[in-house]
Amino acid sequence: MNNYLFTFLHSFAFKYNWLDSAVIFFAEPFIYIFIIAIITILVWQDKVLEDSFDLKSIYKKSRGILTITIATISGYIAANLLKLLIHTDRPFVYLNNIHTLISESGYAFPSGHSATISAFAFAVFFKNRPIGFICLVTMLLIGLSRVVAGVHFPVDIIGGYALGFVVAYLLKRL
């Protein structure tokens, strides 16, 4: 099932230049742009920098944003540590005749991009449901783009999502 779903999704690559450009954008730089934009919106929404520049006040207003940041970084670190333990090949190594839209190296499971954006999206969702919902939809788009780009199997993405959720949930509980 994993190989079949990968083959189906990856079959959309290299057909239309506009689609390839969109997949490349969502698979690589978009995650960073999106995270910075959402953090900026949350800082503005929580009025972190308004009123006074008292450190105690800024800390109190930004605790949720700090938790989101810690979850995001923790999701990234946890994924990379698991990759070192699990050693799963990427689709272009495992399957024949797979060409990728982007360049990647290293092990595949769990997807670091998916774990990072998942930890971020769920942490935001736990803090602010409307913005969190946008983050969860974006999370799906980023994961899908990594499969279409040919650098991850669907199971790598799902594993990253699960890891990110666990990280965000555990940090929420602290």
Side-chain angles (χ1 to χ4, degrees):
M1 181 70 163
N2 190 42
N3 289 1
Y4 173 78
L5 191 53
F6 169 80
T7 302
F8 171 73
L9 292 171
H10 184 60
S11 73
F12 290 98
F14 301 104
K15 290 195 177 186
Y16 305 101
N17 286 336
W18 66 268
L19 183 57
D20 290 348
S21 295
V23 167
I24 291 166
F25 177 69
F26 285 106
E28 280 295 313
F30 183 70
I31 187 174
Y32 308 107
I33 296 165
F34 183 76
I35 288 172
I36 291 168
I38 295 297
I39 292 289
T40 302
I41 289 168
L42 292 173
V43 166
W44 174 77
Q45 186 181 46
D46 292 350
K47 300 177 181 173
V48 171
L49 300 176
E50 287 186 11
D51 296 333
S52 70
F53 282 99
D54 171 37
L55 287 179
K56 188 175 180 180
S57 173
I58 290 173
Y59 173 75
K60 190 175 183 179
K61 290 179 184 178
S62 64
R63 263 184 34 199
I65 295 167
L66 185 59
T67 301
I68 292 166
T69 304
I70 292 169
T72 305
I73 293 167
S74 298
Y76 172 82
I77 291 169
N80 284 292
L81 289 174
L82 281 176
K83 284 181 186 199
L84 293 174
L85 296 172
I86 298 173
H87 294 209
T88 304
D89 287 330
R90 292 185 181 270
F92 56 85
V93 174
Y94 184 75
L95 300 173
N96 293 327
N97 298 322
I98 297 297
H99 301 285
T100 62
L101 289 173
I102 58 177
S103 177
E104 279 293 347
S105 61
Y107 297 114
F109 185 87
S111 164
H113 281 79
S114 294
T116 302
I117 194 64
S118 173
F120 176 78
F122 281 109
V124 171
F125 185 78
F126 295 147
K127 179 187 178 341
N128 181 315
R129 289 194 189 259
I131 295 174
F133 182 75
I134 293 167
C135 292
L136 291 173
V137 170
T138 301
M139 173 190 85
L140 297 173
L141 186 59
I142 289 170
L144 179 65
S145 69
R146 304 287 294 172
V147 176
V148 174
V151 296
H152 280 292
F153 284 110
V155 72
D156 302 334
I157 303 302
I158 293 166
Y161 289 163
L163 177 61
F165 172 79
V166 168
V167 166
Y169 182 77
L170 290 175
L171 282 169
K172 173 189 171 229
R173 306 283 293 165
L174 294 179

